[in-house]
């Protein structure tokens, strides 16, 4: 046997289609796939906006809250915790009084941030086309029949002091 030859390659692994193997491979369509939770955190309304905002640099909590207009303190804190848990956001607490905490993206966060920014940019670029289609769809912004029906259903409940049933 010649010594200058590389060692033989190991045999190719067989495909294991058990549920645990599917979950380990991150098959997103499986009910218990762990990637679904990550996908939910990244693609939530606040997750997308926080990731895109942090692509510009490091922010303190209050500055980030001003940047992401409309987010409550609770939702921003929850979103940052989820993104930090997934390894996308780095939280640095400086030992000073008053507390000084900064948030920035990790290298993995920059990667996923670029992906969701592309999606957000596509939505912005196509917003006129998207909005133009909404009136034609049930529940669209200009679907006056649906609005009138819901208003009529809510009126008796409001007069009785109950929450409307939907």
């Amino acid at each position: 046997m010649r010594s200058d030859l590389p060692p033989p390659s190991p045999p190719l692994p067989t495909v294991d289609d058990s549920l645990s193997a599917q979950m380990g491979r991150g098959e997103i369509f499986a009910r218990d796939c762990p990637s679904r939770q990550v996908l939910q955190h990244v693609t939530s309304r606040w997750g997308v906006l926080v990731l895109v905002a942090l692509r510009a640099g490091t922010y303190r909590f209050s500055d980030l809250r001003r940047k992401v207009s409309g987010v409550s303190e609770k939702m921003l804190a929850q979103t940052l915790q989820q993104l930090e848990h997934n390894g996308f956001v780095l939280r640095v607490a400086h030992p000073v009084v008053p507390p000084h905490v900064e948030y920035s993206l990790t290298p993995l966060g920059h990667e996923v941030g670029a992906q969701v920014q592309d999606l957000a940019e596509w939505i912005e670029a196509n917003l006129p086309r998207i909005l133009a289609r909404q009136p034609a769809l049930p529940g669209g912004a200009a679907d006056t029949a649906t609005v009138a029906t819901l208003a009529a259903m809510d009126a008796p409940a409001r007069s009785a002091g109950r929450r409307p049933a939907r």
Side-chain angles (χ1 to χ4, degrees), residues 3-14:
S3 62
D4 60 337
L5 294 176
S9 300
L12 294 174
T14 59

Side-chain angles (χ1 to χ4, degrees), residues 66-85:
R66 278 190 291 277
K67 176 80 171 170
V68 182
S69 178
V71 67
S72 68
E73 280 189 36
K74 178 184 175 184
M75 286 308 303
L76 180 57
Q78 183 179 341
T79 300
L80 287 166
Q81 287 172 348
Q82 292 168 341
L83 294 173
E84 181 185 11
H85 176 77

Side-chain angles (χ1 to χ4, degrees), residues 41-42 44-80 83 89 103 105 116 120:
H41 296 161
V42 168
S44 71
R45 171 180 23 175
W46 304 123
V48 168
L49 295 175
V50 165
L51 288 167
V52 171
L54 288 175
R55 290 199 71 220
T58 300
Y59 283 88
R60 292 183 70 175
F61 186 89
S62 58
D63 295 330
L64 188 57
R65 185 161 179 237
R66 278 190 291 277
K67 176 80 171 170
V68 182
S69 178
V71 67
S72 68
E73 280 189 36
K74 178 184 175 184
M75 286 308 303
L76 180 57
Q78 183 179 341
T79 300
L80 287 166
L83 294 173
V89 169
Y103 297 91
L105 292 179
V116 295

Side-chain angles (χ1 to χ4, degrees), residues 12-33:
L12 294 174
T14 59
V15 175
D16 180 2
D17 283 327
S18 67
L19 180 58
S20 62
Q22 290 176 19
M23 287 173 44
R25 287 195 305 267
E27 293 189 11
I28 202 161
F29 296 108
R31 177 186 308 167
D32 298 321
C33 180

